Amino acid sequence: MWAFLFDVQRTIYSTLTSDITAYSSSRNLTALLAVLPLGIVFGSAHALTPGHSKSVLAAYILASGLRPGRALLTSFALSVTHITSAVLLAVVTNSLVQRTLVGAGRAPSIEWTSRAMLIAIGLWLIYRAIRAKPHVHGEGLATGFVAGLIPCPLTLFVMTLALSRGAAEAGLAFSFSMLFGVAVVLGVVAIVSAMTRQYLVAFFSHYEKSISLSSRVIEAIAGAALTSIAFFEVVRYV
């Protein structure tokens, strides 16, 4: 499986390098538009590989009890922030990006900030489950934004390559098309998580005294999972 994922990643990077390099030489807009659908495919394939806050998104939706529509909105906020943060990082500054082989495409300062905020959100979910606190309006969008602050490494690679070739428009076009692919994958994760939450609440309600108690138990477990995931990501790079 890991070998397959590695091959997929290598194919994506190789193809995008060829396409952007070819466009920077020819400036053929028609040819660029013709390969943009590949960006959607590559975005989807890349989002299926480890990372992209899929586990964070699933844990939060399981904990929060968002309905499928709101869960989908949260996943879209995560996708947009995930891609946009990489574009802005490439355009505005490269000072936070590691250029070593091991850390290529990472922005540690931003990642640590995002993970620290996710730990706080996870602890808030646990506290809310214990104290039976009400949900905060707009919390889902805020969580999507925080989780998406970690820049997409593929988008960062594409933008950096395009800028180095003097073809920023090609990088932006590919980034926008990849956004659709990433959004599809994260949207599926969000909807499945929301439906799983509804199933679990219905299941546990047969064994607990009330649906409310069942929801709070699931919320506490998922909050603990979210905190653990974010904490593990922080200490892994210390």
Side-chain angles (χ1 to χ4, degrees), residues 28-61:
N28 189 332
L29 184 59
T30 302
L32 175 62
L33 293 176
V35 299
L36 285 184
L38 281 177
I40 300 177
V41 176
F42 288 163
S44 299
H46 185 62
L48 289 172
T49 60
H52 308 283
S53 299
K54 292 187 293 293
S55 56
V56 170
L57 177 65
Y60 173 76
I61 292 174

Side-chain angles (χ1 to χ4, degrees), residues 16 20 32-33 35-44 76 79-80 82-84 86-87 152 154-156 158-159 168-184:
L16 288 176
I20 292 177
L32 175 62
L33 293 176
V35 299
L36 285 184
L38 281 177
I40 300 177
V41 176
F42 288 163
S44 299
F76 186 69
S79 301
V80 171
H82 186 53
I83 299 297
T84 304
V87 171
C152 173
L154 179 59
T155 304
L156 190 56
V158 167
M159 283 302 304
E169 65 277 15
L172 289 172
F174 270 110
S175 298
F176 185 73
S177 63
M178 286 189 295
L179 170 60
F180 281 92
V182 172
V184 167

Side-chain angles (χ1 to χ4, degrees), residues 3-15:
F4 172 74
L5 292 177
F6 177 78
D7 289 339
V8 169
Q9 293 276 59
R10 184 171 57 185
T11 300
I12 291 173
Y13 278 74
S14 177
T15 304

Side-chain angles (χ1 to χ4, degrees), residues 44-178:
S44 299
H46 185 62
L48 289 172
T49 60
H52 308 283
S53 299
K54 292 187 293 293
S55 56
V56 170
L57 177 65
Y60 173 76
I61 292 174
L62 285 172
S64 63
L66 293 177
R67 295 186 179 276
R70 298 292 296 179
L72 191 61
L73 187 60
T74 297
S75 72
F76 186 69
L78 195 162
S79 301
V80 171
T81 309
H82 186 53
I83 299 297
T84 304
S85 61
V87 171
L88 293 177
L89 185 59
V91 172
V92 177
T93 178
N94 289 321
S95 62
L96 296 178
V97 180
Q98 290 186 356
R99 296 186 179 277
T100 62
L101 180 62
V102 176
R106 292 185 53 238
S109 298
I110 298 177
E111 291 180 18
W112 283 29
T113 300
S114 175
R115 294 310 185 193
M117 295 173 72
L118 287 174
I119 290 174
I121 292 174
L123 293 175
W124 161 251
L125 291 174
I126 296 173
Y127 172 77
R128 188 172 66 189
I130 296 174
R131 304 290 297 181
K133 294 289 185 180
H135 292 256
V136 177
H137 181 69
E139 182 181 280
L141 290 177
T143 301
F145 173 79
V146 170
L149 282 177
I150 299 175
C152 173
L154 179 59
T155 304
L156 190 56
F157 166 78
V158 167
M159 283 302 304
T160 302
L161 175 64
L163 290 171
S164 69
R165 299 290 192 275
E169 65 277 15
L172 289 172
F174 270 110
S175 298
F176 185 73
S177 63
M178 286 189 295

